Amino acid sequence: MTNPATTTQHGGTIPTQASVIPGAGPAVPRQGERATLRLRETGDEEPARYAPEWLQLREPADAAARSYDLLDPLRIRLANLPGRADGFVIHDIGCGTGSMGRWLAPHLDGAQHWVLHDRDPYLLHFAAVASPRSAADGSHVTVETRRGDVALLTSDALSGASLVTASALLDVLTREEIGALAAACAGAGCPALLTLSVAGRVELTASHPMDEEITEAFNAHQRRGDLLGPDAVTVAAEAFAEHGATVRLNPSPWRLGPGDAALMEQWLRGWVGAAVEERPELKGRAEGYLAERLEACAAGELRVVVHHSDLLALCRPAGGAV
Protein backbone atom coordinates (compact mmCIF):
# COMPACT_ATOMS: atom_id res chain seq x y z
CA MET A 1 0.00 0.00 0.00
CA THR A 2 1.43 3.41 -0.88
CA ASN A 3 2.02 6.01 1.77
CA PRO A 4 -0.31 9.02 1.75
CA ALA A 5 1.20 11.96 -0.14
CA THR A 6 0.19 15.60 -0.09
CA THR A 7 0.06 18.14 -2.90
CA THR A 8 -0.68 21.86 -2.90
CA GLN A 9 -4.15 22.89 -4.09
CA HIS A 10 -5.53 26.44 -3.83
CA GLY A 11 -2.77 27.25 -1.36
CA GLY A 12 -3.55 24.28 0.93
CA THR A 13 -2.68 20.62 1.06
CA ILE A 14 -4.68 17.64 -0.08
CA PRO A 15 -3.97 13.97 0.64
CA THR A 16 -3.69 12.03 -2.59
CA GLN A 17 -4.38 8.64 -0.99
CA ALA A 18 -5.39 9.04 2.66
CA SER A 19 -9.03 10.04 2.09
CA VAL A 20 -10.23 7.07 0.06
CA ILE A 21 -13.52 5.72 1.41
CA PRO A 22 -13.30 1.91 1.72
CA GLY A 23 -14.85 0.49 -1.44
CA ALA A 24 -13.77 3.34 -3.71
CA GLY A 25 -10.31 1.84 -4.05
CA PRO A 26 -7.23 0.83 -2.09
CA ALA A 27 -7.30 2.56 1.26
CA VAL A 28 -5.19 2.59 4.38
CA PRO A 29 -7.52 0.65 6.73
CA ARG A 30 -8.38 1.97 10.14
CA GLN A 31 -6.62 0.25 13.01
CA GLY A 32 -8.05 -3.23 13.43
CA GLU A 33 -10.05 -3.04 10.19
CA ARG A 34 -9.40 -5.21 7.15
CA ALA A 35 -8.92 -3.89 3.66
CA THR A 36 -11.93 -3.91 1.41
CA LEU A 37 -12.75 -5.48 -1.97
CA ARG A 38 -12.68 -9.12 -0.86
CA LEU A 39 -15.65 -11.45 -1.27
CA ARG A 40 -14.18 -14.82 -0.45
CA GLU A 41 -13.17 -16.17 2.94
CA THR A 42 -9.57 -15.25 3.74
CA GLY A 43 -9.18 -16.76 7.17
CA ASP A 44 -10.04 -13.56 9.02
CA GLU A 45 -12.92 -13.63 11.43
CA GLU A 46 -14.45 -10.37 10.27
CA PRO A 47 -15.91 -10.03 6.76
CA ALA A 48 -14.57 -7.46 4.32
CA ARG A 49 -16.50 -4.22 4.42
CA TYR A 50 -17.54 -1.74 1.79
CA ALA A 51 -18.16 1.49 3.64
CA PRO A 52 -21.85 2.48 3.54
CA GLU A 53 -20.65 6.02 2.82
CA TRP A 54 -19.14 4.86 -0.49
CA LEU A 55 -22.21 2.86 -1.49
CA GLN A 56 -24.50 5.77 -0.64
CA LEU A 57 -22.26 8.20 -2.52
CA ARG A 58 -22.41 6.15 -5.72
CA GLU A 59 -26.10 5.21 -5.52
CA PRO A 60 -27.49 8.15 -7.55
CA ALA A 61 -24.91 7.60 -10.31
CA ASP A 62 -25.69 3.88 -10.31
CA ALA A 63 -29.42 4.54 -10.61
CA ALA A 64 -28.90 6.94 -13.51
CA ALA A 65 -26.54 4.54 -15.29
CA ARG A 66 -28.47 1.25 -15.16
CA SER A 67 -29.99 0.22 -18.49
CA TYR A 68 -33.73 0.87 -18.55
CA ASP A 69 -33.89 -0.91 -21.92
CA LEU A 70 -33.45 -4.24 -20.14
CA LEU A 71 -36.54 -3.71 -17.99
CA ASP A 72 -39.14 -4.45 -20.69
CA PRO A 73 -37.86 -7.95 -21.56
CA LEU A 74 -37.51 -8.62 -17.85
CA ARG A 75 -41.10 -7.49 -17.17
CA ILE A 76 -42.36 -9.73 -19.99
CA ARG A 77 -40.56 -12.74 -18.51
CA LEU A 78 -41.87 -12.04 -15.02
CA ALA A 79 -45.41 -11.51 -16.32
CA ASN A 80 -45.29 -14.99 -17.89
CA LEU A 81 -44.31 -16.73 -14.67
CA PRO A 82 -46.94 -18.81 -12.88
CA GLY A 83 -48.81 -16.71 -10.34
CA ARG A 84 -47.61 -16.88 -6.74
CA ALA A 85 -49.65 -15.91 -3.72
CA ASP A 86 -46.64 -14.14 -2.22
CA GLY A 87 -45.61 -12.43 -5.48
CA PHE A 88 -42.16 -12.45 -7.05
CA VAL A 89 -39.20 -13.72 -5.03
CA ILE A 90 -36.08 -11.73 -5.91
CA HIS A 91 -32.60 -12.66 -4.65
CA ASP A 92 -30.15 -9.75 -4.54
CA ILE A 93 -26.60 -11.12 -4.39
CA GLY A 94 -23.95 -8.98 -2.72
CA CYS A 95 -26.67 -6.48 -1.91
CA GLY A 96 -24.54 -3.96 -0.03
CA THR A 97 -26.86 -1.29 1.34
CA GLY A 98 -29.71 -2.45 -0.93
CA SER A 99 -29.47 0.09 -3.74
CA MET A 100 -30.57 -2.41 -6.39
CA GLY A 101 -33.85 -3.05 -4.58
CA ARG A 102 -34.48 0.65 -4.11
CA TRP A 103 -33.99 1.15 -7.85
CA LEU A 104 -35.72 -1.93 -9.25
CA ALA A 105 -38.68 -2.64 -6.96
CA PRO A 106 -40.50 0.60 -7.90
CA HIS A 107 -40.10 -0.32 -11.61
CA LEU A 108 -41.86 -3.69 -11.32
CA ASP A 109 -45.59 -4.33 -10.84
CA GLY A 110 -46.79 -6.88 -8.35
CA ALA A 111 -45.98 -7.99 -4.82
CA GLN A 112 -42.30 -8.71 -4.25
CA HIS A 113 -40.28 -10.50 -1.60
CA TRP A 114 -36.59 -9.58 -1.71
CA VAL A 115 -33.97 -11.92 -0.24
CA LEU A 116 -30.87 -9.84 0.42
CA HIS A 117 -27.53 -11.70 0.43
CA ASP A 118 -24.24 -10.26 1.66
CA ARG A 119 -21.25 -11.38 3.72
CA ASP A 120 -21.27 -8.20 5.78
CA PRO A 121 -23.94 -8.07 8.52
CA TYR A 122 -23.29 -4.35 8.89
CA LEU A 123 -24.39 -3.74 5.29
CA LEU A 124 -27.32 -6.16 5.59
CA HIS A 125 -28.65 -4.03 8.43
CA PHE A 126 -28.53 -0.91 6.26
CA ALA A 127 -30.21 -2.75 3.38
CA ALA A 128 -33.07 -4.03 5.52
CA VAL A 129 -33.75 -0.69 7.18
CA ALA A 130 -33.75 1.26 3.89
CA SER A 131 -35.58 -1.32 1.76
CA PRO A 132 -38.44 -0.20 -0.53
CA ARG A 133 -41.98 -0.79 0.73
CA SER A 134 -44.05 -0.71 -2.45
CA ALA A 135 -43.90 -1.78 -6.09
CA ALA A 136 -44.76 0.29 -9.16
CA ASP A 137 -48.46 -0.50 -8.78
CA GLY A 138 -48.50 -0.02 -5.02
CA SER A 139 -48.20 -3.71 -4.21
CA HIS A 140 -46.39 -4.65 -1.03
CA VAL A 141 -42.63 -5.27 -0.95
CA THR A 142 -41.07 -7.31 1.86
CA VAL A 143 -37.46 -8.25 2.59
CA GLU A 144 -35.37 -10.77 4.47
CA THR A 145 -31.59 -10.91 4.86
CA ARG A 146 -29.19 -13.81 4.53
CA ARG A 147 -25.54 -13.63 5.40
CA GLY A 148 -23.53 -15.73 2.98
CA ASP A 149 -20.95 -15.92 0.21
CA VAL A 150 -21.74 -15.81 -3.48
CA ALA A 151 -19.22 -18.63 -4.00
CA LEU A 152 -21.54 -20.93 -2.04
CA LEU A 153 -24.69 -20.09 -4.01
CA THR A 154 -26.50 -23.12 -5.48
CA SER A 155 -29.68 -23.77 -7.45
CA ASP A 156 -31.19 -25.20 -4.25
CA ALA A 157 -30.63 -21.87 -2.52
CA LEU A 158 -32.48 -20.20 -5.40
CA SER A 159 -35.36 -22.67 -5.50
CA GLY A 160 -38.58 -20.77 -6.17
CA ALA A 161 -36.74 -17.60 -7.19
CA SER A 162 -38.37 -15.35 -9.79
CA LEU A 163 -35.23 -13.28 -10.39
CA VAL A 164 -31.60 -12.94 -9.31
CA THR A 165 -30.02 -9.49 -9.24
CA ALA A 166 -26.59 -8.08 -8.46
CA SER A 167 -24.86 -4.75 -8.90
CA ALA A 168 -21.13 -4.07 -9.33
CA LEU A 169 -20.41 -7.70 -8.49
CA LEU A 170 -19.25 -9.64 -11.55
CA ASP A 171 -15.89 -7.87 -11.88
CA VAL A 172 -14.77 -9.00 -8.41
CA LEU A 173 -15.54 -12.65 -9.12
CA THR A 174 -13.46 -15.47 -10.61
CA ARG A 175 -14.35 -17.47 -13.70
CA GLU A 176 -15.35 -20.38 -11.45
CA GLU A 177 -17.63 -18.20 -9.33
CA ILE A 178 -19.34 -16.72 -12.37
CA GLY A 179 -19.80 -20.22 -13.73
CA ALA A 180 -21.34 -21.30 -10.44
CA LEU A 181 -23.68 -18.29 -10.46
CA ALA A 182 -24.82 -19.03 -14.01
CA ALA A 183 -25.33 -22.70 -13.17
CA ALA A 184 -27.34 -21.84 -10.06
CA CYS A 185 -29.64 -19.49 -11.97
CA ALA A 186 -30.05 -21.95 -14.83
CA GLY A 187 -30.76 -24.78 -12.40
CA ALA A 188 -33.42 -22.71 -10.67
CA GLY A 189 -34.83 -21.56 -14.02
CA CYS A 190 -34.76 -17.88 -13.05
CA PRO A 191 -33.54 -14.85 -15.00
CA ALA A 192 -30.62 -12.74 -13.80
CA LEU A 193 -30.16 -8.97 -14.01
CA LEU A 194 -26.50 -8.20 -13.30
CA THR A 195 -25.68 -4.51 -13.54
CA LEU A 196 -22.75 -2.10 -13.48
CA SER A 197 -19.84 -4.40 -14.30
CA VAL A 198 -16.71 -2.40 -15.10
CA ALA A 199 -15.89 -2.34 -18.80
CA GLY A 200 -12.27 -1.21 -18.49
CA ARG A 201 -12.77 2.09 -20.34
CA VAL A 202 -12.73 5.60 -18.91
CA GLU A 203 -13.03 9.00 -20.61
CA LEU A 204 -11.90 12.18 -18.86
CA THR A 205 -12.39 15.70 -20.22
CA ALA A 206 -10.00 17.26 -20.92
CA SER A 207 -7.72 14.37 -21.85
CA HIS A 208 -4.30 13.91 -20.23
CA PRO A 209 -1.20 12.00 -21.44
CA MET A 210 -1.39 9.67 -18.40
CA ASP A 211 -5.05 8.71 -18.83
CA GLU A 212 -4.30 5.55 -20.79
CA GLU A 213 -1.42 4.53 -18.53
CA ILE A 214 -3.55 4.83 -15.38
CA THR A 215 -6.42 2.98 -17.07
CA GLU A 216 -4.19 0.07 -18.07
CA ALA A 217 -2.67 -0.20 -14.59
CA PHE A 218 -6.11 -0.03 -12.96
CA ASN A 219 -7.43 -2.77 -15.25
CA ALA A 220 -4.44 -4.93 -14.36
CA HIS A 221 -5.22 -4.35 -10.68
CA GLN A 222 -8.81 -5.46 -11.29
CA ARG A 223 -7.47 -8.72 -12.75
CA ARG A 224 -5.26 -9.51 -9.74
CA GLY A 225 -5.22 -13.14 -8.75
CA ASP A 226 -8.02 -14.96 -10.49
CA LEU A 227 -10.44 -12.01 -10.57
CA LEU A 228 -11.87 -11.15 -13.98
CA GLY A 229 -12.23 -7.38 -13.69
CA PRO A 230 -13.27 -5.87 -17.05
CA ASP A 231 -13.41 -9.33 -18.64
CA ALA A 232 -16.16 -10.49 -16.29
CA VAL A 233 -19.25 -9.45 -18.22
CA THR A 234 -18.07 -11.27 -21.37
CA VAL A 235 -17.30 -14.39 -19.35
CA ALA A 236 -20.71 -14.17 -17.67
CA ALA A 237 -22.52 -13.79 -21.00
CA GLU A 238 -20.75 -16.89 -22.31
CA ALA A 239 -21.46 -18.86 -19.12
CA PHE A 240 -25.19 -18.10 -19.19
CA ALA A 241 -25.39 -18.80 -22.92
CA GLU A 242 -23.78 -22.20 -22.37
CA HIS A 243 -26.70 -23.00 -20.07
CA GLY A 244 -29.20 -22.08 -22.79
CA ALA A 245 -30.06 -18.58 -21.55
CA THR A 246 -30.89 -15.71 -23.87
CA VAL A 247 -28.41 -12.97 -22.99
CA ARG A 248 -28.61 -9.24 -23.60
CA LEU A 249 -25.82 -6.76 -22.86
CA ASN A 250 -26.34 -2.99 -22.64
CA PRO A 251 -23.98 -0.16 -21.73
CA SER A 252 -24.52 1.54 -18.36
CA PRO A 253 -21.92 4.30 -18.02
CA TRP A 254 -21.51 6.70 -15.16
CA ARG A 255 -21.57 10.22 -16.61
CA LEU A 256 -20.09 12.47 -13.95
CA GLY A 257 -19.86 16.24 -13.99
CA PRO A 258 -19.66 19.21 -11.63
CA GLY A 259 -22.76 18.07 -9.74
CA ASP A 260 -21.02 14.81 -8.85
CA ALA A 261 -17.85 16.32 -7.37
CA ALA A 262 -17.85 14.27 -4.16
CA LEU A 263 -18.26 10.98 -6.01
CA MET A 264 -15.79 12.00 -8.70
CA GLU A 265 -13.16 12.89 -6.08
CA GLN A 266 -13.49 9.53 -4.33
CA TRP A 267 -13.51 7.67 -7.63
CA LEU A 268 -10.36 9.49 -8.76
CA ARG A 269 -8.52 8.69 -5.55
CA GLY A 270 -9.50 5.04 -5.73
CA TRP A 271 -8.81 4.72 -9.46
CA VAL A 272 -5.34 6.25 -9.28
CA GLY A 273 -4.60 4.49 -5.99
CA ALA A 274 -5.32 1.08 -7.51
CA ALA A 275 -3.14 1.90 -10.52
CA VAL A 276 -0.21 2.87 -8.28
CA GLU A 277 -0.70 -0.20 -6.11
CA GLU A 278 -0.42 -2.31 -9.26
CA ARG A 279 2.50 -0.34 -10.71
CA PRO A 280 4.45 1.39 -7.90
CA GLU A 281 6.82 2.98 -10.44
CA LEU A 282 3.96 5.29 -11.41
CA LYS A 283 3.80 6.81 -7.93
CA GLY A 284 5.68 10.07 -8.51
CA ARG A 285 3.98 10.98 -11.77
CA ALA A 286 0.61 9.69 -10.58
CA GLU A 287 0.65 12.04 -7.59
CA GLY A 288 1.00 15.01 -9.89
CA TYR A 289 -1.66 13.62 -12.22
CA LEU A 290 -4.10 13.10 -9.35
CA ALA A 291 -3.46 16.59 -8.00
CA GLU A 292 -4.27 18.09 -11.43
CA ARG A 293 -7.45 16.02 -11.73
CA LEU A 294 -8.60 16.91 -8.21
CA GLU A 295 -7.94 20.59 -8.92
CA ALA A 296 -10.12 20.42 -12.05
CA CYS A 297 -12.79 18.51 -10.12
CA ALA A 298 -12.89 21.12 -7.36
CA ALA A 299 -13.12 23.88 -9.96
CA GLY A 300 -16.08 22.20 -11.69
CA GLU A 301 -14.06 21.72 -14.88
CA LEU A 302 -13.78 17.92 -14.97
CA ARG A 303 -16.16 15.45 -16.60
CA VAL A 304 -15.74 11.71 -16.46
CA VAL A 305 -17.43 8.79 -18.21
CA VAL A 306 -16.80 5.47 -16.46
CA HIS A 307 -18.03 2.68 -18.72
CA HIS A 308 -19.98 -0.28 -17.30
CA SER A 309 -22.12 -3.04 -18.77
CA ASP A 310 -25.49 -4.45 -17.67
CA LEU A 311 -26.40 -8.07 -18.41
CA LEU A 312 -29.85 -9.66 -18.56
CA ALA A 313 -29.85 -13.45 -18.80
CA LEU A 314 -33.24 -15.04 -19.47
CA CYS A 315 -32.67 -18.60 -18.33
CA ARG A 316 -35.03 -21.33 -19.43
CA PRO A 317 -37.80 -21.66 -16.85
CA ALA A 318 -37.66 -24.74 -14.64
CA GLY A 319 -39.57 -27.61 -16.22
CA GLY A 320 -38.52 -26.68 -19.75
CA ALA A 321 -41.33 -24.19 -20.49
CA VAL A 322 -40.53 -21.47 -23.00
Side-chain angles (χ1 to χ4, degrees):
M1 213 61 77
T2 57
N3 292 325
T6 56
T7 310
T8 300
Q9 180 185 37
H10 297 311
T13 60
I14 57 170
T16 58
Q17 289 296 327
S19 300
V20 184
I21 297 175
V28 179
R30 298 169 186 168
Q31 187 173 4
E33 184 176 58
R34 282 177 46 193
T36 187
L37 300 179
R38 297 194 183 103
L39 281 181
R40 286 153 301 285
E41 297 293 341
T42 61
D44 296 321
E45 292 183 1
E46 292 299 319
R49 180 177 295 176
Y50 288 78
E53 293 85 355
W54 166 246
L55 300 178
Q56 291 167 353
L57 189 60
R58 64 174 289 169
E59 185 167 344
D62 287 348
R66 289 191 183 96
S67 174
Y68 284 81
D69 289 344
L70 297 180
L71 291 181
D72 279 345
L74 175 60
R75 291 186 186 107
I76 292 170
R77 169 55 63 89
L78 293 177
N80 289 328
L81 292 176
R84 293 176 53 112
D86 55 353
F88 301 126
V89 177
I90 302 172
H91 289 254
D92 190 14
I93 311 301
C95 68
T97 58
S99 66
M100 173 61 94
R102 287 189 290 276
W103 176 77
L104 183 58
H107 288 297
L108 299 178
D109 288 332
Q112 303 165 38
H113 180 69
W114 284 71
V115 184
L116 308 178
H117 300 254
D118 205 283
R119 282 193 58 220
D120 192 333
Y122 188 57
L123 296 180
L124 285 173
H125 169 75
F126 276 85
V129 168
S131 63
R133 301 304 178 195
S134 61
D137 60 357
S139 298
H140 198 49
V141 175
T142 58
V143 301
E144 67 175 278
T145 60
R146 294 184 188 175
R147 185 180 177 189
D149 197 305
V150 65
L152 305 178
L153 196 66
T154 65
S155 57
D156 288 342
L158 297 178
S159 179
S162 308
L163 173 66
V164 167
T165 67
S167 190
L169 176 68
L170 291 180
D171 41 80
V172 291
L173 298 183
T174 66
R175 182 177 295 271
E176 291 72 23
E177 288 167 341
I178 286 178
L181 177 61
C185 292
C190 65
L193 179 63
L194 309 171
T195 68
L196 296 168
S197 298
V198 295
R201 293 179 292 113
V202 174
E203 301 168 27
L204 297 96
T205 306
S207 62
H208 187 286
M210 280 197 75
D211 289 347
E212 184 174 351
E213 203 170 4
I214 296 293
T215 298
E216 290 176 353
F218 175 82
N219 289 343
H221 188 278
Q222 291 287 96
R223 296 183 176 107
R224 278 187 167 194
D226 295 325
L227 303 185
L228 289 171
D231 306 318
V233 72
T234 299
V235 171
E238 293 171 351
F240 277 98
E242 287 172 2
H243 286 282
T246 299
V247 179
R248 289 186 56 174
L249 294 174
N250 274 18
S252 52
W254 277 357
R255 299 186 184 276
L256 309 180
D260 308 294
L263 173 60
M264 196 155 32
E265 177 191 342
Q266 284 297 317
W267 174 82
L268 278 166
R269 294 181 187 279
W271 185 58
V272 175
V276 171
E277 190 173 87
E278 181 66 23
R279 292 183 54 192
E281 68 273 16
L282 292 176
K283 183 176 184 292
R285 290 188 297 126
E287 288 172 359
Y289 171 85
L290 178 58
E292 287 184 40
R293 289 308 196 187
L294 291 174
E295 179 106 20
C297 177
E301 298 169 352
L302 183 64
R303 285 169 174 77
V304 179
V305 179
V306 183
H307 290 274
H308 304 96
S309 297
D310 286 4
L311 180 153
L312 175 64
L314 299 176
C315 299
R316 293 170 179 166
V322 177

